[in-house]
Amino acid sequence: MTKSKKTHGPGGLTSETSILLHTRQAMMIFDGRQETDDKAAIYGVPRFSGSVNQIFKDALADDPWADWWLIKIDDHIERARMKLNEFKEELKDLYPKSPSININSAESTEPESRPLNFPTPSYAYRMGYLVVEYDQFCCEVLGLRHVGLLTRVKAERYLNLGGKALRAALQSGTGYRRQGVTRNDVLANNPKSQKAIQLMGKIPDDIFKMKRRSDFAPELHQYDKSKPSEITDDRIEKDKKLKVVG
């Protein structure tokens, strides 16, 4: 009788993702800028990823302010995408395509690659994909300028407006101030939660009760998955009656 070999499941999945950028404008948005003696730092996608990663970890530890900031980051990314789409539609209305004229978007003869390998799911990746959309938009604008359909001033205006929308999204995590606070701290109204309120404002009730969370927020294993929220009005009233020691 031969012993059956012990079988193991497959190993962990890995993935290497990168993007190709054709324009200097998109590369500057992606890379950001390091702080120097005479210039402030500018957030790029890698630095954005680092700040969002910490917020994501804090949300996993039941920090309601981290949950709130993930929603804000979602909103900023979506707002930037909508702005970029508005500018694209504006260009289409101004310069509709003609079947008699074929104008291809400009492309670099040597586009540069940037890696998309981030620890936090979704947020930094979505920002990276948005930079690609901006890069394509820049190619279109520069192509129209090259053939004389856009003036230099108008082209610069579109490039700057698109870049401004993306930079606002990249800075969306900057107002977060890590305090290591949890929902239980808020219920106890202890110094930690009071400091968080002082620095970041009062947490909205629907976010505190987990009725509203980012679609990409981490799953909170400490709460029963079968219930939409463990932070109920009954629990709040019950905890208010408890004597807080310490």
Side-chain angles (χ1 to χ4, degrees):
M1 181 177 178
T2 59
K3 291 184 179 180
S4 60
K5 291 183 179 179
K6 190 175 180 180
T7 60
H8 298 278
L13 296 175
T14 61
S15 174
E16 292 291 328
T17 308
S18 63
I19 57 175
L20 277 181
L21 299 177
H22 292 261
T23 64
R24 174 181 55 85
Q25 290 83 357
M27 291 173 197
M28 289 172 65
I29 291 289
F30 187 94
D31 296 336
R33 184 178 69 198
Q34 295 293 328
E35 183 178 7
T36 62
D37 292 338
D38 58 340
K39 290 182 180 179
I42 296 177
Y43 268 69
V45 176
R47 188 172 179 186
F48 169 81
S49 171
S51 64
V52 175
N53 188 43
Q54 183 59 64
I55 297 170
F56 188 88
K57 286 179 179 177
D58 290 348
L60 184 61
D62 198 28
D63 183 334
W65 277 273
D67 262 346
W68 189 12
W69 248 257
L70 290 180
I71 290 172
K72 291 184 179 188
I73 291 166
D74 271 339
D75 290 345
H76 273 87
I77 293 174
E78 187 55 32
R79 200 173 302 140
R81 176 171 280 108
M82 289 173 64
K83 280 285 183 188
L84 205 51
N85 286 335
E86 281 178 25
F87 302 144
K88 288 177 183 178
E89 290 301 316
E90 219 175 282
L91 276 183
K92 283 181 184 176
D93 292 340
L94 284 172
Y95 307 102
K97 290 187 176 180
S98 167
S100 304
I101 304 174
N102 184 26
I103 303 173
N104 293 321
S105 294
E107 287 187 356
S108 171
T109 54
E110 294 182 7
E112 289 195 17
S113 175
R114 294 291 186 274
L116 289 186
N117 296 310
F118 307 120
T120 304
S122 177
Y123 302 95
Y125 284 96
R126 282 155 63 208
M127 224 26 255
Y129 303 151
L130 195 54
V131 173
V132 172
E133 288 186 38
Y134 174 63
D135 186 51
Q136 292 166 349
F137 173 70
C138 291
C139 287
E140 188 175 352
V141 169
L142 294 170
L144 289 172
R145 188 181 76 175
H146 178 71
V147 297
L149 292 178
L150 264 184
T151 65
R152 180 184 60 79
V153 173
K154 281 186 177 179
E156 288 297 324
R157 174 181 172 271
Y158 277 118
L159 296 175
N160 290 336
L161 286 172
K164 184 179 179 182
L166 265 72
R167 281 192 293 273
L170 286 167
Q171 294 173 14
S172 56
T174 55
Y176 179 74
R177 299 289 181 267
R178 184 169 189 265
Q179 298 300 307
V181 66
T182 68
R183 285 177 169 83
N184 283 332
D185 292 316
V186 178
L187 290 170
N189 194 28
N190 61 24
K192 237 196 247 189
S193 71
Q194 291 171 15
K195 182 69 171 177
I197 292 171
Q198 180 186 343
L199 290 173
M200 296 177 284
K202 190 173 185 288
I203 193 79
D205 193 56
D206 59 343
I207 293 174
F208 177 72
K209 293 178 180 178
M210 294 184 292
K211 291 178 180 177
R212 181 162 61 104
R213 299 187 79 216
S214 165
D215 289 338
F216 301 97
E219 187 177 334
L220 299 180
H221 299 288
Q222 57 267 55
Y223 296 110
D224 186 348
K225 294 179 188 177
S226 64
K227 298 179 183 178
S229 172
E230 284 288 313
I231 308 293
T232 61
D233 291 330
D234 289 342
R235 178 180 164 188
I236 291 172
E237 289 305 315
K238 188 185 295 182
D239 285 1
K240 279 181 181 176
K241 295 175 184 177
L242 294 177
K243 183 178 179 181
V244 180
V245 180

